[in-house]
Amino acid sequence: MKIGAVIISFNPDLDVLRANVDSLKKQVSQIVIVDNGSRNINEINQLVKNDNINFIYEGKNVGIAQATNDAFSYFQKENYKWIITMDQDSVLPDQAINKYLKHTHRVTGLIASIQKPIKEMTINGRRVTLSKEGTIEYPSKIDKSRKIIASGSLISVEAWKLVGGFDEELFIDAVDFDFNMKLLEAGFSIEQINIEMKHKLGSPVSKIIFGRTIYSFNHSAFRKYYIARNSLIMAKRYNNYSQERKLLFNYFIKILLVEDNKINKIIAFARGLKDGIKYNTGSQQQKEKR
């Protein structure tokens, strides 16, 4: 069975991207990199020039959803049945795809690994900071309360097509969670298997407050807007207000207590809440042009 892989790139760390590509090329038939207007695109091209990789150049940041949909459309034309989606800063372990394929049942829409946020890893002799140490434990099957990120997920092309792909109006945050819900509501299953994938989450920071270490992913103000807006949109779509309110509260408290650039992040967060209440979707760039 032909398996494709898509990596969405946007100003990536080249050493981590190299490790990502090296882990995939031993396991899949074709890798597609969709570049969202990276400033270091020439370096990316040079890095993988000998790896037989197909590129889709978006020319600007079109968001995770459109970039992923563009890759799936390419693979669909090439008659691929299953695609693994990877963030630029994730690294899949050896033999992961073979383990995934044991779970490709007729009604399976998505198969995910256990995400393992780690503090550091060595790539080409250089220490690369990732995130908080620790393994998140999940059951082998996922229900509607679970949120599975897209990176490291093997997704059925048929299921992607039937549910209408990834919602491009969300642009970035919660795109994967929305897709999960659409799969479940369409009758597909989501399974998470015992494979640990290394994955970077934001630009993590921590601070000790009253003897307790508080961790934050420390996302940029740009991301804070989409986190706030799309959390409210997800709450409205799937009637999940209680969980989303708790997440938003935690995000806001961590901006105040732990993160830098507080004023810009609070302003972006507030704008996101306002647009989420109004159910305004699309990218910030699109709104600024109106």
Side-chain angles (χ1 to χ4, degrees):
M1 182 188 300
K2 292 195 302 181
I3 305 295
V6 54
I7 302 171
I8 310 300
S9 62
F10 181 68
N11 305 322
D13 179 305
L14 295 179
D15 286 339
V16 180
L17 180 62
R18 175 75 268 169
N20 191 348
V21 169
D22 286 343
S23 72
L24 287 171
K25 68 182 184 181
K26 298 176 290 186
Q27 303 187 59
V28 302
S29 304
Q30 177 68 63
I31 299 173
V32 169
I33 293 179
V34 185
D35 186 75
N36 267 342
S38 294
R39 293 187 298 269
N40 58 346
I41 186 60
N42 292 333
E43 290 83 356
I44 297 171
N45 284 324
Q46 186 68 21
L47 180 74
V48 299
K49 65 179 182 179
N50 298 319
D51 290 309
N52 190 31
I53 288 176
N54 283 10
F55 271 89
I56 297 175
Y57 299 102
E58 300 288 7
K60 63 179 181 179
N61 189 356
V62 299
I64 291 290
Q66 181 179 327
T68 307
N69 284 337
D70 289 346
F72 269 72
S73 295
Y74 166 83
F75 279 120
Q76 184 182 29
K77 292 175 183 176
E78 298 295 319
N79 296 315
Y80 280 75
K81 303 300 183 186
W82 290 88
I83 310 300
I84 188 161
T85 56
M86 298 291 292
D87 287 354
Q88 62 191 19
D89 44 21
S90 300
V91 180
L92 198 68
D94 292 340
Q95 300 301 315
I97 297 296
N98 287 337
K99 294 179 181 179
Y100 280 167
L101 291 177
K102 296 177 182 178
H103 296 262
T104 53
H105 312 301
R106 184 178 60 84
V107 296
T108 303
L110 183 151
I111 306 161
S113 64
I114 292 175
Q115 310 303 324
K116 186 179 183 183
I118 60 174
K119 189 174 183 180
E120 292 182 325
M121 67 178 173
T122 301
I123 297 175
N124 293 344
R126 183 167 68 90
R127 298 297 289 175
V128 178
T129 300
L130 296 181
S131 60
K132 175 185 172 183
E133 289 184 295
T135 301
I136 302 171
E137 297 294 340
Y138 287 106
S140 59
K141 295 289 183 77
I142 306 304
D143 62 30
K144 290 188 179 183
S145 67
R146 300 292 178 178
K147 291 187 173 183
I148 304 301
I149 68 170
S151 189
S153 293
L154 187 67
I155 298 172
S156 161
V157 175
E158 178 186 9
W160 165 83
K161 180 180 178 181
L162 285 173
V163 301
F166 295 88
D167 184 353
E168 297 178 10
E169 288 297 305
L170 293 177
F171 194 73
I172 181 166
D173 284 279
V175 168
D176 38 15
F177 304 153
D178 178 71
F179 183 75
N180 295 345
M181 293 300 293
K182 292 196 295 185
L183 287 176
L184 292 165
E185 291 189 343
F188 291 100
S189 68
I190 295 176
E191 299 187 15
Q192 192 169 34
I193 62 176
N194 191 23
I195 295 174
E196 291 183 352
M197 182 189 73
K198 297 175 181 177
H199 176 68
K200 180 180 178 182
L201 293 169
S203 301
V205 293
S206 63
K207 183 180 290 186
I208 298 176
I209 299 175
F210 299 122
R212 179 183 176 186
T213 302
I214 306 297
Y215 292 95
S216 174
F217 297 142
N218 194 32
H219 291 116
S220 66
F222 176 82
R223 288 285 303 278
K224 288 290 193 275
Y225 167 82
Y226 290 106
I227 289 169
R229 187 196 71 178
N230 291 351
S231 291
L232 288 180
I233 289 173
M234 289 289 287
K236 291 181 178 183
R237 284 185 182 178
Y238 302 109
N239 195 26
N240 194 18
Y241 287 95
S242 176
Q243 184 179 17
E244 298 297 342
R245 277 199 300 265
K246 290 177 183 177
L247 289 172
L248 287 170
F249 179 77
N250 286 336
Y251 272 116
F252 185 73
I253 291 299
K254 288 180 178 181
I255 293 174
L256 294 178
L257 296 181
V258 180
E259 299 184 17
D260 55 11
N261 195 22
K262 298 181 191 298
I263 293 176
N264 287 334
K265 289 180 179 180
I266 290 171
I267 291 171
F269 199 81
R271 286 178 54 237
L273 292 176
K274 179 181 177 182
D275 281 347
I277 291 169
K278 294 181 177 180
Y279 212 92
N280 289 338
T281 57
S283 72
Q284 292 187 71
Q285 294 94 323
Q286 290 172 341
K287 292 182 176 63
E288 290 167 358
K289 292 178 181 178
R290 291 172 185 167

